[in-house]
Amino acid sequence: MFVRIASALVLIPLLLFCVQTGHLALLFFLLAISLASLFELFRVFETGGYKLIKITVYVVTVLTYILIYYKHGLLFHLTPILIVIGTAYAIRGKLSSEELALSVMAYLYIPISLSYIYSLRMQQGNYVWLVFLLAYITDTFAYFVGRAFGKHKLIPSVSPKKTVEGAVGGVVGAVLCCLLFEKYFGEDSHYVGIVILALLGSVASQLGDLFASTMKRHFKVKDYGKLIPGHGGVLDRVDSVLFTAPLTYYAFFLIRLIQELL
């Protein structure tokens, strides 16, 4: 427990600084998280006998973040290029179609999903914090409500400790915290949109966690890595964020679009 708390005391200030500072600090932070998470995911895939185009994915990830920076936060991805390169390997018999699919999935799942945080920070300012509130408040409330009142297992085959009561508690906690955020830090007072986002975002956060757990169970690993003492791997800590970041970005895109139409 001490090691877990100590790690959090180091990582939380770093996260706060990078997100609040934005620009290059946030970009480098997200790039580092992306590369570390990709390394962990590739290692898990390799335990299943898959050989992926790792170097290519790393290079494409770096190029993607460079382009996003010079596009001033506009979303940018190089999926077609990755597919073309992977197809060339497949034609030469050095990559199976399944390994190509996993390589592309890894790119979309981690670096592209995390890039939404940078785009959201550049376009919506403080609302970027909702990405993390949805992920970590949901997890916190789900944990404590589940421990106190949990009786019905959610999906025991994937995550034996998660309960229906905990999942509901996570959603309620996310809605309350997002409403408080909108009241004290929001800019436009669109409470209805925030409630809808909180409901969907909390569910997405839990789906992200369950998806990561499903892959770990499939490949028979306990954690994705050991880089963060007491927490496991980097991917173990950002799995929920990978789902809440794109959702939050597109939620605000729709909110702004509706406002312009009205």
Side-chain angles (χ1 to χ4, degrees):
M1 180 60 73
F2 173 77
V3 175
R4 188 180 181 89
I5 294 174
S7 298
L9 290 176
V10 173
L11 293 174
I12 291 176
L14 179 61
L15 172 66
L16 293 173
F17 171 78
C18 291
V19 175
Q20 191 60 36
T21 302
H23 299 289
L24 277 175
L26 179 58
L27 191 78
F28 278 120
F29 179 75
L30 294 173
L31 178 57
I33 296 297
S34 294
L35 295 176
S37 298
L38 282 172
F39 175 81
E40 293 174 347
L41 185 61
F42 287 151
R43 187 169 58 181
V44 169
F45 285 160
E46 287 172 347
T47 64
Y50 297 105
K51 296 181 180 180
L52 311 182
I53 46 175
K54 297 186 292 185
I55 301 301
T56 302
V57 177
Y58 291 142
V59 172
V60 169
T61 295
V62 173
L63 291 176
T64 298
Y65 275 75
I66 291 174
L67 289 170
I68 290 173
Y69 176 74
Y70 282 105
K71 290 289 184 178
H72 304 291
L74 293 177
L75 291 173
F76 204 99
H77 68 87
L78 298 174
T79 307
I81 293 177
L82 183 60
I83 292 175
V84 169
I85 296 174
T87 301
Y89 276 97
I91 292 173
R92 296 172 61 189
K94 295 185 177 181
L95 194 72
S96 69
S97 58
E98 190 173 5
E99 289 168 335
L100 171 58
L102 288 174
S103 298
V104 175
M105 186 277 281
Y107 171 69
L108 294 173
Y109 176 51
I110 297 174
I112 291 300
S113 293
L114 288 176
S115 72
Y116 281 94
I117 296 174
Y118 183 80
S119 299
L120 190 61
R121 175 68 179 87
M122 297 299 293
Q123 297 173 29
Q124 303 295 341
N126 283 336
Y127 282 116
V128 69
W129 292 110
L130 291 178
V131 171
F132 304 100
L133 282 178
L134 289 170
Y136 299 125
I137 293 298
T138 294
D139 183 61
T140 301
F141 271 77
Y143 174 77
F144 286 108
V145 172
R147 287 197 62 178
F149 306 105
K151 294 182 179 180
H152 303 87
K153 298 297 182 181
L154 185 62
I155 308 180
S157 60
V158 175
S159 186
K161 295 182 179 180
K162 295 187 185 300
T163 63
V164 174
E165 292 81 2
V168 173
V171 173
V172 173
V175 171
L176 292 176
C177 288
C178 286
L179 282 174
L180 288 173
F181 179 90
E182 178 63 23
K183 179 178 180 179
Y184 293 105
F185 302 102
E187 300 172 4
D188 299 318
S189 298
H190 31 57
Y191 289 102
V192 175
I194 291 297
V195 170
I196 295 174
L197 170 60
L199 290 170
L200 296 177
S202 182
V203 173
S205 171
Q206 297 184 61
L207 287 175
D209 187 33
L210 289 170
F211 176 69
S213 297
T214 299
M215 286 199 294
K216 285 191 288 188
R217 282 193 169 273
H218 177 77
F219 289 99
K220 297 179 175 60
V221 297
K222 183 177 184 296
D223 294 312
Y224 282 104
K226 300 179 180 179
L227 186 61
I228 307 176
H231 293 269
V234 176
L235 188 53
D236 291 297
R237 299 311 307 157
V238 302
D239 51 13
S240 299
V241 171
L242 296 176
F243 277 49
T244 60
L247 178 67
T248 304
Y249 177 88
Y250 286 114
F252 277 97
F253 175 82
L254 289 175
I255 289 172
R256 298 297 185 188
L257 181 61
I258 292 172
Q259 288 177 336
E260 290 177 5
L261 293 176
L262 295 178

